[in-house]
Amino acid sequence: MSTALVEPVDDDLWSAIGDPTRRRMLDLLLAADGGTATSLSRQMPVTRQAVAKHLGVLDRVGLVRGDPAGRERRYRVDDAQLARAVAQLASVGSAWDARLRRIKRIAEDIQRARPE
């Protein structure tokens, strides 16, 4: 049984998603169908500058796209990239499930082979 992933895991993508502040920002952007650094900073316990920096990270990995909106940029979640991240997570989960089943079988075989 192969535990190979369907698609190679994008470490930069998962590094970006791994930060709880950025995950919260993604949640807020999804709920509001977008937002600016200013609007997000009003809903988070970090400064506008920190939000802008986090948005830059999310933008670099393609999870959000920013379009000019007056003096700011309005960010929206990129649905295709988010779907890619979800698919990667499902693939990693399936691979680990397969590994754990194999470990369980090995442990059960060892247990059965032990003299009582």
Side-chain angles (χ1 to χ4, degrees):
M1 169 181 272
S2 172
T3 57
L5 301 177
V6 173
E7 175 182 356
V9 174
D10 183 336
D11 291 332
D12 291 336
L13 177 67
W14 286 102
S15 179
I17 292 174
D19 183 275
T21 300
R22 289 192 282 267
R23 285 195 309 271
R24 176 71 179 133
M25 290 172 62
L26 287 170
D27 288 341
L28 292 169
L29 290 169
L30 286 166
D33 195 29
T36 64
T38 301
S39 68
L40 290 170
S41 68
R42 290 185 194 124
Q43 302 174 69
M44 301 186 69
V46 294
T47 65
R48 184 199 173 286
Q49 290 78 12
V51 168
K53 187 173 181 179
H54 284 295
L55 285 168
V57 172
L58 293 171
D59 191 29
R60 275 192 300 282
V61 299
L63 280 168
V64 299
R65 295 287 177 237
D67 296 311
R71 293 179 9 167
E72 288 200 87
R73 295 184 70 74
R74 181 162 181 78
Y75 290 88
R76 294 188 196 297
V77 173
D78 184 300
D79 294 334
Q81 185 70 331
L82 183 60
R84 182 172 168 254
V86 169
Q88 283 185 12
L89 181 59
S91 180
V92 168
S94 294
W96 273 104
D97 287 346
R99 289 179 185 115
L100 292 172
R101 283 191 300 275
R102 184 164 184 241
I103 291 168
K104 181 181 178 195
R105 280 194 309 272
I106 291 168
E108 289 169 345
D109 290 346
I110 292 170
Q111 187 67 30
R112 278 193 295 276
R114 279 186 158 168
E116 292 190 32

